[in-house]
């Protein structure tokens, strides 16, 4: 492996500006925060940061919802017709 | 691009099947065990909507199989899936010797950085290199958040991220709807029980609950239609 000091990565292509623009336009539909900014000049690092925040918040929601469903399943009143619906659906 | 509605439908179907396999009614699980099982079935279901075509979905199956104690349950959930996904769960995402290669690359990169000599640089160049460092740093964070991200090059990472976010959104939306519906049914059951008690106390002979619910499935869909719209972006905060 040649030691080229100017090369800092392990040789894989870096994210290009075009790809950032593509990512922004698609993420714009998913993230309301970016929508109102000046269209072409959103920084790459800001986009990545918003993306990471969004993914983290989605992970949290999945976790919270799993917990909530776990509690709900525990508290179903056994004899009601509603419990029968839930039971037939997911149990 | 896949339609969100079809992702949700496919996810819902697979998730329900997975939940039924968990056998909640019979076993005496703790709340934590139930939660883990719910999450497991949700993750496997959303990953299988991609049918092994994306790196994140394969990585998610590998991770779920690795982390969840009851391997038999995982196997059963994957029983009807493609061979690709089944292999991922048993072998894991990456063969052991590849780990060594990746780790040595990281060590090499670190030592290269240490040898770099600092010299005086013009302001604009400095700003650009700082910006590059920020992008690099944030890219690393993103890689840690997307399943299998550490094995992707920067270009694939973006594509995988977009697909992953769309799938996560569908997963969250469906889970919210089910939680809301279950909640409403629970509430309704409580109310009916109270009404029932009152009616009995007032010497009525016919059961009010039998009158009110003629067809259980009709009641289920009526409830979900009447419930207020689930907010899509709740829980999403940006921090700058």
């Amino acid at each position: 492996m040649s030691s080229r000091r100017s090369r800092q990565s392990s040789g894989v292509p870096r994210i290009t500006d075009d790809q950032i623009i593509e990512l922004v336009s698609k993420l714009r539909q998913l993230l309301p925060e970016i929508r109102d900014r000046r269209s072409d000049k959103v920084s790459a690092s800001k986009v990545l940061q918003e993306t990471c925040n969004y993914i983290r918040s989605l992970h949290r929601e999945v976790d919270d919802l799993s917990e909530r469903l776990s509690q709900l399943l525990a508290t179903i009143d056994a004899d009601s017709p509603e419990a029968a619906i839930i039971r037939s659906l997911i149990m | 691009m896949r339609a969100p509605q079809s992702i949700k439908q496919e996810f819902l179907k697979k998730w329900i099947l997975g939940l039924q396999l968990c056998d909640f009614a019979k076993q005496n699980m703790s709340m934590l065990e139930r939660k883990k099982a719910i999450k497991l079935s949700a993750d496997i279901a959303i990953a299988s909507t991609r049918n092994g075509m994306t790196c994140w979905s394969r990585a998610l199956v590998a991770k779920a199989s690795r982390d969840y104690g009851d391997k038999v349950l995982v196997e059963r959930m994957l029983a009807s899936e493609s061979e690709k996904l089944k292999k991922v769960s048993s072998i894991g995402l990456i063969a052991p010797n590849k780990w060594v290669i990746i780790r040595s690359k990281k060590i090499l990169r670190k030592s290269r950085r240490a040898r770099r000599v600092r010299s005086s640089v013009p302001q604009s160049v400095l700003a650009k290199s700082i910006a590059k460092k920020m992008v690099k740093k944030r890219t690393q964070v993103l890689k840690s958040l997307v399943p299998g991200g550490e094995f992707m090059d920067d270009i694939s990472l973006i594509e995988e991220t977009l697909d992953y976010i769309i799938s996560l959104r569908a997963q969250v939306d469906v889970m919210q709807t089910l939680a809301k519906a279950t909640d409403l049914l629970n509430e309704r059951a409580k109310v009916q029980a109270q009404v029932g008690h009152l009616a009995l106390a007032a010497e009525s002979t016919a059961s009010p609950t039998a009158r009110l619910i003629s067809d259980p499935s009709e009641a289920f869909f009526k409830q979900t239609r009447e419930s207020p719209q689930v907010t899509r972006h709740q829980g999403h905060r940006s921090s700058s």
Side-chain angles (χ1 to χ4, degrees):
Chain A
M1 209 174 291
S2 58
S3 57
R4 280 170 272 172
R5 276 216 269 150
S6 53
R7 210 64 183 286
Q8 292 178 24
S9 72
S10 61
V12 299
R14 309 305 301 277
I15 301 182
T16 68
D17 288 342
D18 285 341
Q19 286 164 332
I20 293 293
I21 293 174
E22 188 197 335
L23 177 62
V24 168
S25 65
K26 287 189 180 154
L27 273 182
R28 201 174 282 159
Q29 294 151 32
L30 303 174
L31 298 173
E33 276 76 8
I34 296 192
R35 210 165 33 215
D36 308 322
R37 303 281 170 75
R38 305 165 292 164
S39 38
D40 296 329
K41 301 250 178 166
V42 188
S43 74
S45 118
K46 184 77 177 165
V47 171
L48 288 170
Q49 187 186 30
E50 291 295 324
T51 309
C52 293
N53 289 341
Y54 191 43
I55 293 182
R56 266 192 282 252
S57 78
L58 287 173
H59 284 170
R60 257 199 312 270
E61 278 207 69
V62 171
D63 205 66
D64 290 345
L65 285 166
S66 303
E67 177 130 5
R68 195 168 136 203
L69 275 169
S70 170
Q71 286 169 347
L72 284 171
L73 289 184
T75 60
I76 290 179
D77 175 22
D79 295 327
S80 63
E82 284 81 5
I85 299 172
I86 298 171
R87 243 199 302 275
S88 65
L89 195 59
I90 58 180
M91 286 173 131
Chain B
M1 227 179 233
R2 302 176 294 158
Q5 208 49 33
S6 68
I7 307 176
K8 286 190 207 176
Q9 281 171 1
E10 205 184 328
F11 167 70
L12 179 61
K13 257 193 284 181
K14 298 197 168 169
W15 186 33
I16 299 260
L17 288 172
L19 286 170
Q20 287 171 342
L21 286 171
C22 293
D23 209 4
F24 291 117
K26 298 203 182 127
Q27 296 191 21
N28 245 340
M29 296 169 125
S30 71
M31 190 118 55
L32 184 61
E33 284 172 341
R34 248 200 313 271
K35 171 188 167 183
K36 283 189 186 164
I38 291 172
K39 194 152 185 290
L40 170 80
S41 49
D43 284 345
I44 289 192
I46 194 61
S48 69
T49 63
R50 275 340 240 130
N51 215 13
M53 301 292 279
T54 56
C55 184
W56 70 261
S57 57
R58 297 193 295 272
L60 189 53
V61 171
K63 183 165 178 286
S65 318
R66 210 173 42 229
D67 295 346
Y68 195 74
D70 187 354
K71 308 291 178 194
V72 177
L73 181 59
V74 178
E75 249 180 68
R76 268 192 261 153
M77 284 185 186
L78 292 167
S80 56
E81 296 305 330
S82 67
E83 285 306 312
K84 237 183 198 172
L85 282 183
K86 280 192 225 179
K87 255 191 211 152
V88 167
S89 82
S90 54
I91 297 179
L93 193 57
I94 258 205
N97 55 357
K98 276 201 184 171
W99 278 112
V100 181
I101 298 175
I102 290 172
R103 206 171 286 156
S104 53
K105 271 196 187 156
K106 281 189 181 163
I107 296 171
L108 202 59
R109 238 182 288 161
K110 274 193 187 151
S111 64
R112 271 201 204 141
R113 244 180 263 146
R115 273 186 273 135
R116 211 187 317 139
V117 177
R118 287 243 176 93
S119 54
S120 58
V121 211
Q123 195 75 323
S124 55
V125 178
L126 208 61
K128 273 199 188 146
S129 86
I130 291 177
K132 270 202 188 137
K133 282 197 189 123
M134 290 301 285
V135 170
K136 182 71 182 163
K137 194 170 118 186
R138 301 249 155 90
T139 307
Q140 287 304 111
V141 176
L142 184 60
K143 282 188 174 187
S144 71
L145 287 172
V146 175
E150 58 264 34
F151 308 127
M152 298 174 199
D153 58 80
D154 290 356
I155 299 176
S156 321
L157 179 65
I158 300 188
E159 293 168 346
E160 292 272 338
T161 302
L162 284 167
D163 195 72
Y164 182 52
I165 288 182
I166 292 173
S167 305
L168 266 181
R169 273 273 289 262
Q171 185 186 32
V172 165
D173 286 349
V174 172
M175 288 178 87
Q176 267 176 350
T177 308
L178 186 65
K180 191 91 187 175
T182 312
D183 210 8
L184 284 171
L185 285 172
N186 261 358
E187 285 306 307
R188 206 185 142 138
K190 283 189 205 148
V191 171
Q192 303 289 31
Q194 287 167 354
V195 171
H197 289 321
L198 285 174
L200 279 172
E203 87 198 325
S204 155
T205 49
S207 159
T209 47
R211 268 202 307 260
L212 284 164
I213 303 176
S214 48
D215 178 9
S217 60
E218 191 189 294
F220 178 77
F221 291 114
K222 192 160 183 280
Q223 287 290 3
T224 46
R225 268 203 302 272
E226 284 170 359
S227 69
Q229 276 301 314
V230 178
T231 52
R232 298 197 139 241
H233 296 292
Q234 80 187 35
H236 174 223
R237 287 167 197 49
S238 72
S239 55
S240 41

